[in-house]
Amino acid sequence: MPLVSVILTTYNRPELLKETIISILDQTFQDFELIVVDNFSNYEFQELIDSFKSDKIIGFSNHNNNVIAVNRNYGLRHATGKYIAFCDDDDIWLHDKLEKQTNYISNFFNDNEPIVLHSNTILFGNNFSEKITAKKDIKVFNDFICDNSITFSTVMVTRTKDVEFIEAPHFRATEDYNLWVELVLKGYKFHLLKDPLIRYRVCSNSASASHRKYNSLRMIGVVIINILKHKPKKINNLKLFFRINLELLKYVYNNIRNK
């Protein structure tokens, strides 16, 4: 059984997928399996997987009905590792990502402590000057009220029954944010590794980009739903009040401007 299960979802981006897979297979830490879940792309997906001639890769095809959480959960059901690492099919891991994260775990945590590790990223893309993010460290629920400071493809998380994405369509593009909020409320320890561990491709056709217009409102919805569901004891009501009103004002302003 590998220490880490890497879950990679993909659809109709074979060239980008190749780059991503190569960056994962070239890791300095090699005790992992790579589970690739394809949403029935219009090319020979399995041929692409087989072309790597690697026994680390397991390829699946599964319809997700335009809800990416479905295929992320499909990958989770096939995972066998103690830890889960996620990746999107247009991001590129630096060669020592898994090594730095597994070393951090072994040096600072015990085996029974559920954790979420994430990191800064190198932003890159066409007509885009590369830069390194300055993510915030997440410690408590209130840290999530203002924004999502976690880049999906940097995450390594302890595999438990709690690690499951909500598949409701109205959570689209915020299903990962909802999971992080739920995990912090369930006692997971979040830690930021300040070194960038991936290259994050900035492009206009990503799932997050296509839904960005309404993402802030959806994120507020996630916060409120989790407050009602989990009833956290310490809520920064002032921060929540200002965030809700700010997003409503932005929404109204954008609608007026676009008329």
Side-chain angles (χ1 to χ4, degrees):
M1 184 176 70
L3 184 65
V4 181
S5 293
V6 182
I7 295 176
L8 168 60
T9 54
T10 185
Y11 179 63
N12 274 348
R13 298 200 281 196
E15 295 306 317
L16 296 182
L17 177 61
K18 286 179 186 177
E19 288 186 65
T20 301
I21 290 177
I22 289 170
S23 75
I24 295 171
L25 293 180
D26 283 350
Q27 290 292 296
T28 54
F29 177 90
Q30 286 286 304
D31 187 11
F32 68 87
E33 63 181 353
L34 173 56
I35 300 168
V36 187
V37 187
D38 175 58
N39 185 34
F40 281 94
S41 294
N42 58 15
Y43 65 92
E44 294 298 329
F45 164 73
Q46 196 58 51
E47 285 187 12
L48 185 151
I49 295 300
D50 293 342
S51 70
F52 287 97
K53 296 180 171 55
S54 172
D55 58 6
K56 290 186 176 296
I57 309 179
I58 310 166
F60 296 99
S61 293
N62 186 67
H63 285 299
N64 68 16
N65 298 314
N66 293 319
V67 179
I68 196 170
V70 170
N71 278 352
R72 288 173 178 168
N73 287 337
Y74 188 93
L76 283 168
R77 288 194 293 273
H78 289 84
T80 62
K82 182 174 181 178
Y83 300 100
I84 301 292
F86 296 107
C87 194
D88 286 331
D89 65 354
D90 57 346
D91 295 329
I92 298 173
W93 283 4
L94 301 189
H95 73 285
D96 56 355
K97 174 190 184 290
L98 291 182
E99 180 181 5
K100 285 185 174 179
Q101 289 183 311
T102 53
N103 284 345
Y104 191 86
I105 290 171
S106 63
N107 288 332
F108 296 103
F109 300 98
N110 62 58
D111 287 343
N112 299 319
E113 195 169 11
I115 61 170
V116 178
L117 297 184
H118 62 110
S119 77
N120 281 299
T121 72
I122 301 171
L123 304 177
F124 78 105
N126 294 332
N127 302 316
F128 185 88
S129 298
E130 288 192 5
K131 66 178 181 180
I132 297 175
T133 60
K135 297 290 186 177
K136 295 186 300 183
D137 205 359
I138 299 292
K139 294 297 184 185
V140 295
F141 168 73
N142 288 316
D143 294 331
F144 278 110
I145 290 178
C146 283
D147 60 15
N148 180 14
S149 192
I150 297 178
T151 302
F152 182 76
S153 293
T154 70
V155 168
M156 180 180 287
V157 58
T158 306
R159 181 170 67 94
T160 72
K161 61 181 178 59
D162 293 321
V163 181
E164 182 178 17
F165 296 92
I166 192 166
E167 297 180 5
H170 55 275
F171 279 87
R172 188 176 294 137
T174 53
E175 58 275 294
D176 57 332
Y177 176 65
N178 179 74
L179 178 58
W180 314 145
V181 172
E182 288 211 334
L183 292 182
V184 80
L185 288 171
K186 291 177 179 178
Y188 273 65
K189 303 299 182 184
F190 283 67
H191 291 266
L192 170 69
L193 278 67
K194 293 186 178 180
D195 289 342
L197 297 182
I198 75 163
R199 289 167 56 82
Y200 178 89
R201 194 183 306 268
V202 179
C203 58
S204 60
N205 63 344
S206 66
S208 58
S210 61
H211 295 90
R212 191 169 290 132
K213 182 178 179 181
Y214 303 107
N215 270 7
S216 293
L217 286 176
R218 288 192 180 103
M219 288 166 65
I220 287 296
V222 166
V223 169
I224 293 172
I225 287 170
N226 278 282
I227 288 174
L228 296 174
K229 180 178 179 181
H230 298 285
K231 298 178 174 59
K233 294 180 179 179
K234 295 181 180 180
I235 303 173
N236 189 327
N237 291 308
L238 186 61
K239 182 184 286 188
L240 180 61
F241 173 81
F242 279 109
R243 177 71 194 281
I244 291 172
N245 283 276
L246 175 63
E247 296 305 336
L248 288 174
L249 286 171
K250 285 165 57 178
Y251 178 75
V252 171
Y253 171 77
N254 288 331
N255 280 341
I256 293 173
R257 188 182 62 178
N258 293 329
K259 283 184 178 180

